[in-house]
Amino acid sequence: MAHLWRGVVEEYRERLPIGPGDPVITLGEGGTPLVPAPALSARTGAEVYLKVEGVNPTGSFKDRGMTMAMSKVAATDTEMVVCASTGNTSASAAAYAAHAGLGCAVVLPAGKIAAGKLAQAIVHGATLVAVDGNFDDCLRIVRTLAERYPVALVNSVNPFRLQGQKTAAFEVVDALGDAPDIHVLPVGNAGNISAYWMGYREYAADQDGLPARATRTPRMWGVQAEGAAPFVKGAPVEHPETVATAIRIGNPASWALAEAARDESGGWIDAVSDAQILDAQALLAREVGVFVEPASAASVAGLLQAAERGGVPAGARIVCTVTGNGLKDTATALGQVEIEPQVVAPDATDAARALGL
Ligand SMILES: Cc1ncc(COP(=O)(O)O)c(C=O)c1O
Ligand SMILES: N[C@@H](CCOP(=O)(O)O)C(=O)O
């Protein structure tokens, strides 16, 4: 019988901190494609794959963490979740809260959320508050709200979020047969690079009676936007700015975990410009056929930059996570292209002429 994907909690339950009788709030997240990217292999001299997280139920990797966090909340008396967000966490929290029958409150930096993500939070019934400040201000506010009021915080400072997100590393190993040589990720609040590193380490070790599934761990390469690159600067950035609004973050919550992922794996965290991010987004769309949001393209921009500098080992097996779906932020993508579709009469000859056929 065909295996029907059951969501990451059921698929990897034995490696997750969830009891046999605990409720599972799932929208069928995970099981995302690992797509070979010949256009990137040709440019880098490596064997490059994309882990396409934009096909998750709400269009980003956050769903892997949200299924775990929301399942844990559903096992308690708490009736409302809260999060700060640059867009994707709020979209995911709102959808999973709706599925669980929980309330959802979202605190956002005013005017800095891509329209698709804002629409998601609204249609799933979240209550929104816009702050005249940046994501870091919003996170400070929701941490205080969760201390003072009966609401559960579902940002990645909730440890169950990273537990769920580590399953993406499991899937990469399951698909490739072993860990890649290098894994490249965009870095914002820094939870995801930390979660992947946790997943890779766990899969490479015998643990809790479970045998190792990988013989090694990859080097972790993190990529930030130049205007929001606290790891590269070595200190928080007070006024982060980038076209990749999802990673417009100056003071990442998982700072120490991400540095550990970088250092223990022998990797690095570097920065790329907004122009490089938008070029990589266009390349992925036109030459690989995968439409990602700007923050996601940062991983690929970082890989291409490393290749230009001679930093990519020939023939290395490399996975880039592309974290979110391009349809969430069509305004930025369309702002990069000149499109004037010609209007023609409802006639094939006219259409052919307009198409230059
Ligand atoms: C699409 C997208 N990519 C990358 C990131 C960065 O992930 P993290 O915050 O876990 O570093 C985020 C959120 O910050 C995001 O929404
Ligand atoms: N990009 C994130 C920022 C918050 O991330 P989290 O993983 O700490 O919840 C978002 O989508 O809001």
Side-chain angles (χ1 to χ4, degrees), residues 62 84-90 135 154-157 161 165 189 246 249:
K62 307 284 179 177
S85 188
T86 55
N88 282 322
T89 291
S90 59
F135 170 81
V154 293
N155 278 105
S156 59
V157 291
R161 279 279 310 278
Q165 286 170 218
N189 211 21
I249 295 173

Side-chain angles (χ1 to χ4, degrees), residues 112-261:
K112 294 293 181 182
I113 308 297
K117 302 174 189 180
L118 201 55
Q120 287 178 287
I122 292 169
V123 298
H124 288 305
T127 305
L128 273 52
V129 174
V131 171
D132 184 13
N134 59 34
F135 170 81
D136 307 297
D137 299 314
C138 298
L139 187 58
R140 185 172 36 77
I141 290 169
V142 294
R143 282 182 193 264
T144 306
L145 294 179
E147 279 165 20
R148 292 190 189 160
Y149 302 92
V151 292
L153 184 55
V154 293
N155 278 105
S156 59
V157 291
N158 176 328
F160 296 113
R161 279 279 310 278
L162 299 198
Q163 287 290 330
Q165 286 170 218
K166 77 184 180 187
T167 60
F170 296 167
E171 289 178 23
V172 170
V173 173
D174 290 343
L176 294 177
D178 207 339
D181 298 303
I182 295 163
H183 196 117
V184 196
L185 287 144
V187 175
N189 211 21
N192 213 27
I193 191 169
S194 311
Y196 270 82
W197 180 236
M198 189 193 306
Y200 279 125
R201 272 186 307 143
E202 287 184 11
Y203 238 30
D206 293 335
Q207 206 178 348
D208 301 330
L210 297 167
R213 299 288 298 269
T215 65
R216 57 190 184 154
T217 54
R219 271 177 276 165
M220 304 298 296
W221 289 2
V223 187
Q224 303 209 278
E226 247 170 31
F231 287 105
V232 181
K233 189 179 162 201
V237 173
E238 204 178 335
H239 300 294
E241 210 46 81
T242 169
V243 69
T245 51
I247 52 173
R248 188 175 167 273
I249 295 173
N251 192 10
S254 292
W255 189 295
L257 290 176
E259 280 193 337

Side-chain angles (χ1 to χ4, degrees), residues 265-314:
S265 74
W268 49 249
I269 300 178
D270 205 347
V272 292
S273 68
D274 280 0
Q276 286 172 290
I277 288 173
L278 294 172
D279 283 352
Q281 183 190 33
L283 189 157
L284 287 172
R286 285 170 174 265
E287 295 190 35
V288 188
V290 177
F291 183 22
V292 305
E293 66 166 287
S296 310
S299 61
V300 172
L303 173 65
L304 294 172
Q305 175 171 275
E308 278 160 23
R309 294 175 178 172
V312 176

Side-chain angles (χ1 to χ4, degrees), residues 76-114:
T76 70
D77 293 337
T78 304
E79 290 174 358
M80 178 169 271
V81 298
V82 67
C83 68
S85 188
T86 55
N88 282 322
T89 291
S90 59
S92 184
Y96 280 78
H99 197 71
L102 297 168
C104 178
V106 164
V107 179
L108 307 161
K112 294 293 181 182
I113 308 297

